[in-house]
Amino acid sequence: MNPKLLFWVPAALRMVLALLGVGVVWYLLGATYALGIAFVLMAMMVFVQLSYLFQLSNWLDNPQSAKLPDGWGAWTSIFARLYRMRRDDEKNQAELTEWLARFRQAMHLLPDGVVIMDDVLFLEWCNPAAEKHLGLTHERDKGMRVTNLIRSPEFMDYIILGRYDQPLTITFRNRKLIVQIIPFENRRQILVTHDVTETERIEMMRRDFIANASHELRTPLTVIVGFLEIASAELDLDAATRAAHLKLMTEQGHRMQHLIEDMLTLSRLESVDYPLRPEPVDIKKLMQQVLRDAKALSAGKHDVRMECNGPDVLGSYDELYSAFGNLASNAVRYTPAGGSITLRWQDGPAGPQFIAQDTGIGISPEHISRLTERFYRVDKSRSRETQGTGLGLAIVKHVLLRHGGTLAIQSVADKGSSFIVSMPKSVVTPLQGELLVK
């Protein structure tokens, strides 16, 4: 039915009934009583209308569907429609609030920074990633001009030129960022930041790894190929020269073999397809094997000692042997003849420790933080003499990461070094852990 009819028909019927009532009173009691009753009815109707208007006014100050009055007469329909409208608005508002909460949660979890600005670059909102990338604080910087907050000449030129179709790469706050402004709506712009610092670092490591690996492999290959060319060109080589050439080729072949084995070990340790399967490790047996290898490498030139006073652990025997063996062999290689090397396994306050201590050439402080990088060498000529591959400490680092351990390096140039492996208490085998507690 037409909404106008729904309003006017009941109103007209109520008016007709009121007039009929007044007419009946007029006919029975006279005009005076009829006019009096008509006045009283009119006053009551005005009072009712004013009362509902007052309730409507109060409700509009705080429009909630639960507080809307029921009404009478035409007000019943009015309040019913207001109730439906308000209920729909509350439902829509709840949905918008939920979507806004989801949007903000998604923006908070994004690894990329998002800054919402108006058309004149005043900050309206930013997510935590943008705060981290650009040094912003939403509560403090809201309403401030972004160009006053991001002090970068490249960014200012990007804003002035207005060529937002291409992203901009800048270095800001010791981070390499890719930033781009995306206009949207009529008076809004989005600034998106993507941190490529770690990606660049990994890419640089990859390039360095390929360059260093190629260099390390090229040297022994050059020696082997050179001697093979000499042997093929000069068939009348004497036995002593041929034996010397074969010895050098064998040494270079072994060097290349060790390098490839270390590269494969590193690749396996970093692979997600090669998870750690902890098993009880007989530490005393492992330490004795490391000691034998160190003494064999030393060939009697050093005083190599071992102390084993710590518990057995859970882990990979082969991986721990590789890590401890690398530390022990480094101690031997970089300690002049007549020096001493002490290999120690002990129970520390935070967990068991392996310590490789030597009286060798030591390391300058500026090199210590980079020692676990692949192919990093303090003295390249010294490394060639010791036949190291440059991957030993990188292998140690990844083995310890898989076992929850850490490596600390203490060294003084020309006095010696201590490489300290700290393992968590959680790797101690359960039986020995109970004995230690008792």
Side-chain angles (χ1 to χ4, degrees):
M1 185 180 290
N2 194 322
K4 293 182 179 179
L5 293 178
L6 288 175
F7 176 82
W8 286 110
V9 170
L13 287 175
R14 287 192 291 270
M15 186 64 69
V16 169
L17 289 175
L19 290 175
L20 286 176
V22 171
V24 171
V25 172
W26 190 317
Y27 176 76
L28 296 176
L29 301 176
T32 303
Y33 286 101
L35 290 174
I37 291 175
F39 178 78
V40 171
L41 290 174
M42 185 62 68
M44 291 175 61
M45 292 181 64
V46 170
F47 176 78
V48 169
Q49 304 306 314
L50 291 175
S51 174
Y52 282 126
L53 283 172
F54 178 74
Q55 293 181 55
L56 177 61
S57 176
N58 287 338
W59 180 81
L60 290 173
D61 291 335
N62 185 19
Q64 297 181 17
S65 58
K67 295 183 177 181
L68 196 66
D70 294 331
W72 175 82
W75 288 101
T76 302
S77 176
I78 293 172
F79 285 146
R81 281 184 286 171
L82 285 174
Y83 173 79
R84 286 194 297 271
M85 291 173 60
R86 184 55 191 160
R87 186 182 60 186
D88 292 341
D89 287 343
E90 290 174 348
K91 182 180 178 181
N92 292 336
Q93 186 175 1
E95 291 178 352
L96 288 174
T97 301
E98 182 181 356
W99 278 108
L100 180 60
R102 290 181 180 178
F103 169 78
R104 288 183 173 175
Q105 184 180 11
M107 291 297 104
H108 275 69
L109 296 176
L110 274 181
D112 291 344
V114 178
V115 179
I116 298 179
M117 311 173 293
D118 61 14
D119 56 340
V120 288
L121 305 179
F122 282 93
L123 177 67
E124 294 186 353
W125 182 84
C126 63
N127 69 345
E131 294 181 341
K132 181 180 178 182
H133 293 170
L134 303 173
L136 304 176
T137 302
H138 178 254
E139 291 76 11
R140 180 194 66 200
D141 299 329
K142 184 178 180 181
M144 297 184 66
R145 192 175 176 85
V146 171
T147 49
N148 294 333
L149 302 172
I150 306 173
R151 300 302 183 97
S152 169
E154 297 92 343
F155 183 71
M156 291 297 298
D157 293 341
Y158 182 65
I159 295 294
I160 293 171
L161 293 174
R163 298 174 181 173
Y164 300 152
D165 55 328
Q166 295 293 328
L168 170 70
T169 302
I170 62 173
T171 301
F172 188 73
R173 291 169 56 86
N174 298 321
R175 294 177 179 274
K176 193 165 187 180
L177 303 174
I178 297 177
V179 302
Q180 186 170 12
I181 293 179
I182 305 171
F184 81 108
E185 296 184 349
N186 293 328
R187 300 176 60 84
R188 296 289 184 279
Q189 298 182 90
I190 297 178
L191 171 64
V192 180
T193 64
H194 179 63
D195 190 352
V196 294
T197 307
E198 187 65 16
T199 304
E200 287 288 319
R201 188 185 70 82
I202 293 173
E203 179 62 21
M204 184 178 296
M205 287 178 60
R206 185 189 67 82
R207 290 196 299 266
D208 290 345
F209 180 80
I210 292 174
N212 288 324
S214 301
H215 175 75
E216 295 293 334
L217 289 171
R218 182 177 60 186
T219 302
L221 281 174
T222 300
V223 173
I224 293 172
V225 171
F227 285 147
L228 288 174
E229 289 176 350
I230 293 173
S232 62
E234 300 181 19
L235 300 178
D236 56 345
L237 288 175
D238 59 90
T241 303
R242 184 180 295 107
H245 287 184
L246 289 174
K247 180 183 178 182
L248 286 172
M249 283 193 291
T250 302
E251 290 176 355
Q252 295 300 322
H254 286 158
R255 178 184 174 188
M256 192 160 49
Q257 183 181 18
H258 292 155
L259 176 61
I260 293 172
E261 287 174 353
D262 282 352
M263 291 170 64
L264 291 173
T265 298
L266 259 182
S267 177
R268 185 172 66 251
L269 291 173
E270 292 178 330
S271 174
V272 295
D273 299 326
Y274 187 69
L276 178 67
R277 295 180 175 87
E279 295 178 351
V281 176
D282 186 340
I283 286 294
K284 188 173 182 180
K285 176 183 175 183
L286 186 149
M287 290 291 293
Q288 288 174 344
Q289 188 174 357
V290 171
L291 177 64
R292 285 194 299 270
D293 292 346
K295 286 185 174 182
L297 183 62
S298 172
K301 298 176 183 178
H302 308 86
D303 177 19
V304 184
R305 290 170 289 180
M306 181 193 76
E307 299 175 12
C308 186
N309 300 313
D312 290 344
V313 296
L314 294 172
S316 168
Y317 183 97
D318 292 337
E319 291 183 19
L320 292 177
Y321 167 67
S322 175
F324 296 172
N326 271 301
L327 294 177
S329 64
N330 278 350
V332 172
R333 287 191 176 101
Y334 293 98
T335 300
S340 63
I341 293 101
T342 302
L343 307 176
R344 187 181 300 116
W345 176 259
Q346 63 187 27
D347 190 36
Q353 292 180 323
F354 171 81
I355 302 173
Q357 187 174 10
D358 64 61
T359 59
I361 60 175
I363 308 162
S364 299
E366 64 269 19
H367 298 292
I368 290 178
S369 62
R370 300 190 60 189
L371 287 179
T372 56
E373 294 180 12
R374 295 170 176 84
F375 296 112
Y376 183 80
R377 290 187 172 92
V378 176
D379 186 343
K380 293 184 179 180
S381 61
R382 176 80 182 185
S383 296
R384 283 193 291 269
E385 293 174 8
T386 59
Q387 300 297 310
T389 64
L391 297 175
L393 290 180
I395 292 174
V396 172
K397 173 186 173 182
H398 283 82
V399 168
L400 296 183
L401 284 174
R402 286 164 60 86
H403 286 77
T406 58
L407 175 66
I409 304 172
Q410 300 172 357
S411 185
V412 178
D414 301 323
K415 290 187 177 181
S417 306
S418 294
F419 289 78
I420 305 168
V421 171
S422 298
M423 307 290 286
K425 284 185 177 293
S426 58
V427 301
V428 177
T429 54
L431 180 59
Q432 291 214 348
E434 293 174 7
L435 293 174
L436 287 171
V437 171
K438 292 178 181 179

